[in-house]
Amino acid sequence: MASSIPRPPQLRCPRTPFGTRATKFTSPGSYRPGIPAAVLALSVTLAGCVGTAAGVRPADAARPAAGGAGAASVAASAAPGTTQAWPSQTAADPRASAGPGAAGTSAPARLPGLGPRTLAEIPADARQAVLVTGRGKNSSASQVVLYRRTGAGWEPGATWPAHNALKGWTDDHHAGDLRSPIGVFTLTDAGGLLADPGTKLPYDQGPAFTIGGTGFEGEPLAGSFDYVVAINYNRKPGTSPLDWTRPLGANKGGGIWLHVDHGGPTQGCVSLTQKHMKELLLALEPAQHPVIVMGDAESLER
């Protein structure tokens, strides 16, 4: 990318994403957006983090990484995604809640490519992990592997190509720095412009996820928020991805999501194709306490 990027016009956003009423959690699996109708047309006020050369709020995202973790180097071209995230699993499957371990199997006892600092950040009860490995500290290309913790260890599922922020990764993200945060974050809430595809995560659906404009490489942003999963960096878990609460303060950013890829770098999020986002939504289970482990390969190895 060229070193100088036209600065998008600065857009002032309200403390809550849509004015006077914040999106409200109603019951498991659903949200009730309290959004003034007049604001729905202002799609550019979304707190999402797609890369843009138009009037979209710069993506906020990244807490000082609680630990760096590294995955093995990402190949120049990521492997294509599979048709499903994991083999079918029933509630009776004893591996679903078993700890890591069992020798004599192909599943690694620990997530591969992660150093001790990063591994220490993964909660003991996490049984699903979305491992995002950036190609380099300053690269916007990354690879995503979905893991499930079984009695035999961490079983890898699908491998998907992805984008991250335009300028790569950071341990100390601030709003507008165009870098994705390094760290381990929980995944609890989802939503999108399209109807719930059947995820077990609470899902907020509605026109508030509309976005327009173009990205850093001139690509259209429309559809980027068809499906999203909120990454719990500087946000309140258990709320819609649209919730504007920023526990670490506005300067530390927010609105960091997994969302649909638009063919170019983001402002802080991680993006996957629409097909792979749908697969991810169908695979994630709140009872398995899913997390995302994200960063460039070298940082993840710390």
Side-chain angles (χ1 to χ4, degrees):
M1 291 294 298
S3 59
S4 62
I5 300 170
R7 182 181 297 275
Q10 194 67 24
L11 198 66
R12 294 186 179 275
C13 297
R15 289 189 179 275
T16 56
F18 299 98
T20 57
R21 294 183 294 167
T23 301
K24 298 177 182 178
F25 177 80
T26 54
S27 60
S30 66
Y31 291 97
R32 178 171 302 170
I35 303 168
V39 185
L40 295 180
L42 301 180
S43 61
V44 293
T45 61
L46 277 175
C49 62
V50 293
T52 176
V56 178
R57 177 184 175 87
D60 309 331
R63 72 175 176 184
S73 298
V74 179
S77 59
T82 62
T83 55
Q84 66 176 33
W86 285 305
S88 299
Q89 173 183 319
T90 66
D93 187 346
R95 301 180 305 168
S97 59
T105 70
S106 58
R110 302 189 309 175
L111 287 171
L114 304 188
R117 285 178 54 186
T118 305
L119 288 170
E121 289 296 314
I122 299 175
D125 62 356
R127 293 293 179 267
Q128 291 180 328
V130 180
L131 179 57
V132 183
T133 308
R135 189 175 299 170
K137 185 77 172 182
N138 302 313
S139 172
S140 63
S142 52
Q143 174 180 284
V144 172
V145 182
L146 188 57
Y147 283 88
R148 179 181 63 177
R149 201 177 207 174
T150 74
W154 285 98
E155 175 185 337
T159 298
W160 300 318
H163 279 105
N164 51 271
L166 176 68
K167 294 184 178 180
W169 301 89
T170 180
D171 287 312
D172 186 15
H173 172 78
H174 288 77
D177 67 5
L178 300 182
R179 290 184 179 271
S180 296
I182 299 170
V184 178
F185 310 97
T186 55
L187 301 172
T188 55
D189 308 283
L193 181 64
L194 300 183
D196 183 349
T199 184
K200 294 181 181 178
L201 296 175
Y203 190 89
D204 181 11
Q205 184 270 330
F209 288 93
T210 301
I211 188 171
T214 56
F216 292 114
E217 299 178 353
E219 73 280 10
L221 300 179
S224 298
F225 300 156
D226 281 355
Y227 296 123
V228 310
V229 176
I231 295 172
N232 289 344
Y233 163 79
N234 198 19
R235 71 177 298 270
K236 182 180 179 181
T239 61
S240 165
L242 300 172
D243 184 78
W244 203 249
T245 304
R246 299 289 179 255
L248 301 178
N251 185 51
K252 295 298 293 178
I256 303 304
W257 297 346
L258 284 150
H259 64 68
V260 175
D261 189 76
H262 46 84
T266 72
Q267 291 201 26
C269 297
V270 174
S271 61
L272 300 166
T273 67
Q274 184 179 84
K275 174 187 175 183
H276 297 154
M277 275 299 301
K278 185 174 181 180
E279 290 180 28
L280 179 64
L281 282 165
L282 294 175
L284 294 176
E285 300 182 34
Q288 301 302 311
H289 307 287
V291 298
I292 185 169
V293 183
M294 52 194 283
D296 62 284
E298 184 177 355
S299 295
L300 292 176
E301 290 171 352
R302 295 179 299 195

